[in-house]
């Protein structure tokens, strides 16, 4: 787990069950849009390659805020529980 990924999980946990915008995540870790996209993509790829991964499940919920046109992210309850247990 990279420092940046841990920061994102902390932010999402602090907003749980609410949402964090792409801009909030990006500015919190000091990444450009393409860097954050790469980080999230790499994280998903590692998750999907993990033994025991259940097809169709997700680590992040994602939606578009149609008023702003921006993506928003949140973590499901199961991930919030896991992040708390890991004491990130």
């Amino acid at each position: 787990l990279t420092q940046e990924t841990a920061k994102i999980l902390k932010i999402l946990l602090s907003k749980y069950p609410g949402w964090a915008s792409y801009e909030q995540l990006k500015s919190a870790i000091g990444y450009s849009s393409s860097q954050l996209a790469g980080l999230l993509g790499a994280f998903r790829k590692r998750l999907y390659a993990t033994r025991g991964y259940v097809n169709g499940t997700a680590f992040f919920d994602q939606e578009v805020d149609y008023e702003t046109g921006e993506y928003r992210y949140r973590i499901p309850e199961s991930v919030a529980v896991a992040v708390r247990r890991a004491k990130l």
Side-chain angles (χ1 to χ4, degrees):
L1 194 63
T2 66
Q3 276 186 306
E4 293 81 7
T5 305
K7 281 184 185 179
I8 287 174
L9 291 174
K10 287 178 188 178
I11 292 165
L12 294 174
L13 181 61
S14 74
K15 297 206 174 269
Y16 178 80
W19 297 85
S21 72
Y22 193 81
E23 283 298 319
Q24 289 170 327
L25 298 178
K26 189 173 83 165
S27 66
I29 62 172
Y31 270 23
S32 68
S33 292
S34 59
Q35 287 173 311
L36 180 57
L39 176 72
L40 294 174
F43 192 78
R44 284 186 184 109
K45 186 175 180 178
R46 276 178 281 184
L47 175 67
Y48 297 160
T50 300
R51 185 185 309 177
Y53 168 72
V54 176
N55 197 21
T57 59
F59 201 84
F60 301 108
D61 294 329
Q62 177 182 325
E63 72 174 19
V64 175
D65 179 340
Y66 288 103
E67 290 182 19
T68 64
E70 187 173 53
Y71 282 100
R72 301 187 316 173
Y73 297 85
R74 70 176 176 188
I75 51 176
E77 182 179 356
S78 60
V79 175
V81 169
V83 171
R84 284 188 192 111
R85 284 184 184 161
K87 298 179 182 175
L88 294 177

